Amino acid sequence: MNRDCIPNAEADKYFFHFPDGNASIARLLVRKLIPQAIPGISPTGIVLAKVDYSKLDEPSYWTRIRLNSTVVKVKHVGKPDRAKEVEVTYFADKKLQTVRAANCILACWHVVIPYIAQELPQPQKDALASAQKVPLLYTNVLARNWTAFQKLAASTIYAPGMYHTAVNLDIPVSIGGYECTKTPDDPIVVHMMKAACEPGLPARDQHRMGRIQLYETTFETYERSIRDQLSRMLGPGGFDPARDILEITVNRWPHGYAYEYNSLFDKFWLEGTETPCQIARKPFGRLAIANADADAYAYTDCAIDQAYRAVHELKS
Ligand SMILES: Cc1cc2nc3c(=O)[nH]c(=O)nc-3n(C[C@H](O)[C@H](O)[C@H](O)COP(=O)(O)OP(=O)(O)OC[C@H]3O[C@@H](n4cnc5c(N)ncnc54)[C@H](O)[C@@H]3O)c2cc1C
């Protein structure tokens, strides 16, 4: 569940947060598929469990996961409506390699699918190509302590006019042996967030421009804005950036959230006609299509629902 939006009592009922965010969900899935790769069985134990990467691609296991393997082409072996296999070409170890499978689910960003699966019908390719992603800036600042937040009686600050529009203290979760910070004198991660954009343009263009901004901005500019902003926000609480900032990590997500339709810019949205994502996610031969783009909704629950649907569309 997303916490970057305005607090919402209904959403808060379902709120759950792993200390490392969605990475724990990915690791829980891997443990279910390949129990030998990650020790333990409890959901909370996953937080500190170490992955044995040598077990991910083991020939004797039912499931094999191949990391650092970018798929560049997916094609039916024979005519799509009658084929019994799909050939998947991927780039790994500095060369192209292929595997064959009974079925294939394309679960990546929709815009790249027409390049990978060139057999798809043109209307479906057009619908896939119309997807967009929202660029995000997620900055983590390791602070010496959080006494300034305590003095100002604030854990979250919204600042629409500043560089990072939301600033919040790391959510306090002690789980599976991981202990969160307990007293204001302890170090803490301060999370700063920005959805890079260009006000005044249509939403999709704003996201494109935001992506360029993320790419072009230097680390020096990010650092200067972080130090300036935290000083202005927390200075009255005694925060001194030169003394209290221990580390800064700037995570740029050029293709962050899946784009959500908006009646201001997406006319079809209120017309009740088939939406681009419904056209984009149609199965084709032995190919099925997942990803949060497949329902134009940004969050993990959508990605899981779309993966579930795609698996059930596969041919036996
Ligand atoms: C910074 C950030 C914070 C977020 N916070 C939250 C939150 O608090 N709560 C929430 O519910 N959601 C959150 N989300 C959204 C959530 O992460 C997504 O909804 C979810 O990850 C989407 O899953 P997916 O399977 O659709 O795509 P992804 O998770 O993007 O998975 C797609 C995978 O496909 C791989 N891939 C792409 N192309 C290829 C290729 N050609 N060959 C091989 N592999 C390929 C990618 O490497 C990736 O691993 C956040 C997203 C971001 C970016």
Side-chain angles (χ1 to χ4, degrees):
M1 203 215 72
N2 178 42
R3 287 285 282 208
D4 297 328
C5 49
I6 292 162
N8 171 324
E10 176 62 16
D12 274 0
K13 276 199 292 193
Y14 302 100
F15 179 72
F16 183 81
H17 177 79
F18 279 113
D20 62 354
N22 284 342
S24 278
I25 296 180
R27 295 182 328 127
L28 282 166
L29 291 169
V30 171
R31 189 174 70 182
K32 188 78 182 167
L33 292 167
I34 312 178
Q36 299 88 339
I38 308 182
I41 49 166
S42 79
T44 53
I46 200 73
V47 173
L48 294 182
K50 290 254 183 305
V51 179
D52 180 351
Y53 282 80
S54 71
K55 297 284 196 303
L56 294 183
D57 191 10
E58 172 68 48
S60 60
Y61 295 163
W62 274 97
T63 305
R64 297 174 68 178
I65 298 175
R66 204 153 291 170
L67 298 176
N68 300 318
S69 305
T70 303
V71 173
V72 292
K73 189 173 182 186
V74 170
K75 193 174 179 310
H76 288 89
V77 181
K79 290 222 176 329
D81 53 343
R82 271 178 280 151
K84 295 278 177 253
E85 281 187 317
V86 177
E87 187 175 75
V88 177
T89 307
Y90 63 97
F91 188 77
D93 299 328
K94 298 185 182 160
K95 57 180 186 293
L96 289 175
Q97 310 193 39
T98 57
V99 282
R100 285 193 176 191
N103 291 288
C104 174
I105 298 178
L106 288 138
C108 55
W109 182 32
H110 277 194
V111 167
V112 299
I113 291 179
Y115 299 101
I116 297 171
Q118 295 184 8
E119 300 167 318
L120 292 173
Q122 193 58 42
Q124 185 168 6
K125 285 184 181 173
D126 294 343
L128 286 157
S130 74
Q132 181 56 262
K133 290 279 193 196
V134 179
L136 295 174
L137 185 64
Y138 263 43
T139 298
N140 286 325
V141 176
L142 179 63
R144 189 180 294 281
N145 56 50
W146 44 287
T147 52
F149 283 90
Q150 189 201 28
K151 282 185 190 137
L152 298 170
S155 62
T156 301
I157 304 171
Y158 291 98
M162 298 192 91
Y163 195 80
H164 288 85
T165 48
V167 175
N168 65 279
L169 289 176
D170 194 22
I171 296 169
V173 186
S174 291
I175 183 174
Y178 172 87
E179 291 294 327
C180 66
T181 179
K182 293 284 186 319
T183 76
D185 293 320
D186 289 337
I188 197 165
V189 171
V190 179
H191 173 61
M192 304 178 73
M193 193 266 192
K194 174 189 178 76
C197 60
E198 183 72 44
L201 296 177
R204 288 163 192 267
D205 294 334
Q206 292 208 32
H207 299 320
R208 280 190 200 100
M209 295 306 289
R211 195 145 39 244
I212 295 171
Q213 279 173 24
L214 287 191
Y215 185 68
E216 288 183 338
T217 305
T218 63
F219 181 77
E220 287 68 29
T221 304
Y222 288 125
E223 180 177 9
R224 177 55 41 216
S225 72
I226 292 161
R227 290 181 179 279
D228 174 59
Q229 182 167 347
L230 290 183
S231 160
R232 290 169 65 187
M233 284 178 162
L234 304 173
F239 187 86
D240 173 358
R243 183 195 60 209
D244 295 328
I245 292 179
L246 302 178
E247 302 276 350
I248 296 173
T249 309
V250 176
N251 292 304
R252 296 173 299 176
W253 291 87
H255 303 95
Y257 284 158
Y259 174 78
E260 296 182 3
Y261 297 144
N262 178 330
S263 56
L264 264 184
F265 304 111
D266 302 302
K267 284 205 172 135
F268 55 82
W269 186 225
L270 297 179
E271 285 169 358
T273 49
E274 201 173 33
T275 58
C277 70
Q278 289 169 326
I279 300 168
R281 71 187 184 215
K282 289 190 173 153
F284 178 76
R286 293 187 167 270
L287 306 183
I289 292 175
N291 196 273
D293 288 349
D295 204 25
Y297 185 69
Y299 303 106
T300 308
D301 52 320
C302 166
I304 292 170
D305 288 346
Q306 291 305 313
Y308 185 85
R309 173 198 47 76
V311 168
H312 284 83
E313 286 172 354
L314 295 178
K315 285 189 178 176
S316 53

